[in-house]
Amino acid sequence: MGWRLTLRPYVLIVPALLLTCGILYPFGLGLYYTLFDFSASKPQPDMVRFENYTTVFTQEAFWNSAWVTVLYAVGAALVETVLGVAVALLLHRSTLLGRVLEKILILPLMIAPVIAAIIWKLMLQPSVGVVNHLLRPFGLGGVQWTDTPTGALLSSIAVDVWVYTPFVAILALAGLRSLPTSPFEAAAVDGAGWWYTFRRLTLPMLWPYVLVAVIFRFMDSLKVFDIIYALTEGGPGDSTVVLQIRAYLEAIRFQRYSFGISYTIVLWAVVYLAAMVLVKHLGKIQRKAAEVTT
């Protein structure tokens, strides 16, 4: 019986160890491949060391894709956070309408992002799309939603907002319902108004939950592929070619495998650094929220 108790911790760690190996092995292999010049035209590659990374950082296409990626991630995360918190504040009021809307809120999350993008692509068609049809009485029926660089980027962000704002709202709503009631009761006794209560109590205590949502959405938006590719395929031109799509184009369409993997490694590094900064900031926000509750 004693040997079973001794072996139990090692047996329990096996699934986690297998999962770790399943993650690290492909990642390490991909990192190794970036040191070569694998491509469809060169089945016997040579080791080029860090030449792929040097080429990536000296390409104008990389910096254009990096700029588009940052614009997309910041825009989507910002709008989703503001709208999500606003929706959560409205649903926090225990009304019949709020309970009904709370059930409807999760519907976009039940649709695959690529399917949502295809639906919106049809709806945004200039000639037959329902969006322009509804705007035609207001003199706005001829908008080229995805046919201009700015319109394509904004349309992609709008689809992302439609799909993922409910995620932020649900997290914020869960945070609102978990806040202690005693500080709000004390503020009501002192005659504090809604805005003062929101600014001094609700928002500081809610910030940790909001920042968790921001971390998830910002990291996910940095590596977006499905929504943009299904909606615009990176066009018009390269106006919506984010880093993930650029990696796909290099590795799959142009069949420069090592070069495309180099893009994904660079993107991984960006996401990792962004996550580290945000998680470090989350710790400070949690400590401040704890001070407010006390």
Side-chain angles (χ1 to χ4, degrees):
M1 194 67 182
W3 64 272
R4 292 183 179 180
L5 293 176
T6 304
L7 288 178
R8 183 178 297 175
Y10 300 99
V11 173
L12 293 176
I13 204 174
V14 168
L17 184 62
L18 292 175
L19 180 62
T20 303
C21 293
I23 293 173
L24 292 181
Y25 177 73
F27 177 80
L29 192 61
L31 192 62
Y32 174 72
Y33 284 158
T34 62
L35 303 178
F36 294 84
D37 57 352
F38 282 100
S39 66
S41 61
K42 197 167 186 179
Q44 299 297 327
D46 299 320
M47 177 173 279
V48 295
R49 299 183 183 276
F50 300 105
E51 184 177 324
N52 286 320
Y53 296 102
T54 304
T55 306
V56 165
F57 286 113
T58 54
Q59 271 192 337
E60 184 180 351
F62 166 78
W63 295 107
N64 176 75
S65 296
W67 176 242
V68 174
T69 302
V70 170
L71 285 179
Y72 182 93
V74 172
L78 180 62
V79 176
E80 288 163 10
T81 302
V82 173
L83 288 181
V85 172
V87 171
L89 289 172
L90 292 175
L91 296 181
H92 187 53
R93 305 187 178 205
S94 298
T95 62
L96 177 61
L97 179 61
R99 289 193 293 271
V100 172
L101 291 177
E102 185 178 343
K103 305 301 184 293
I104 299 176
L105 187 67
I106 64 173
L107 289 179
L109 293 175
M110 300 169 65
I111 303 174
V114 65
I115 301 299
I118 292 173
I119 293 172
W120 277 97
K121 184 175 183 178
L122 295 173
M123 293 173 61
L124 294 174
Q125 285 292 322
S127 56
V128 298
V130 66
V131 174
N132 275 354
H133 176 73
L134 294 175
L135 293 177
R136 192 164 289 118
F138 304 98
L140 300 174
V143 179
Q144 304 291 323
W145 295 102
T146 58
D147 294 339
T148 63
T150 302
L153 181 60
L154 293 178
S155 298
S156 301
I157 292 175
V159 175
D160 196 294
V161 168
W162 183 82
V163 174
Y164 290 111
T165 294
F167 171 78
V168 179
I170 291 171
L171 278 182
L173 184 61
L176 284 170
R177 290 177 176 173
S178 67
L179 298 182
T181 58
S182 54
F184 298 97
E185 293 172 352
V189 170
D190 292 338
W194 178 87
W195 174 245
Y196 182 86
T197 303
F198 174 76
R199 186 165 54 91
R200 295 293 186 177
L201 294 178
T202 305
L203 194 57
M205 289 190 289
L206 188 63
W207 262 121
Y209 301 93
V210 175
L211 192 55
V212 168
V214 170
I215 291 173
F216 276 103
R217 289 306 314 132
F218 185 69
M219 289 193 301
D220 204 31
S221 298
L222 281 175
K223 52 189 181 65
V224 67
F225 176 85
D226 45 10
I227 289 178
I228 293 181
Y229 193 78
L231 188 66
T232 68
E233 296 187 12
D238 59 353
S239 58
T240 56
V241 176
V242 293
L243 288 174
Q244 194 84 308
I245 293 180
R246 181 69 66 184
Y248 164 80
L249 294 175
E250 295 289 348
I252 306 301
R253 184 169 296 181
F254 305 146
Q255 297 183 335
R256 295 188 289 185
Y257 309 125
S258 294
F259 193 59
I261 297 173
S262 301
Y263 265 96
T264 63
I265 296 299
V266 171
L267 178 59
W268 169 83
V270 171
V271 175
Y272 179 79
L273 291 175
M276 291 294 292
V277 172
L278 289 173
V279 169
K280 183 178 180 180
H281 192 59
L282 175 62
K284 298 179 181 179
I285 293 295
Q286 288 175 330
R287 289 190 291 270
K288 290 182 180 179
E291 295 175 358
V292 174
T293 56
T294 56

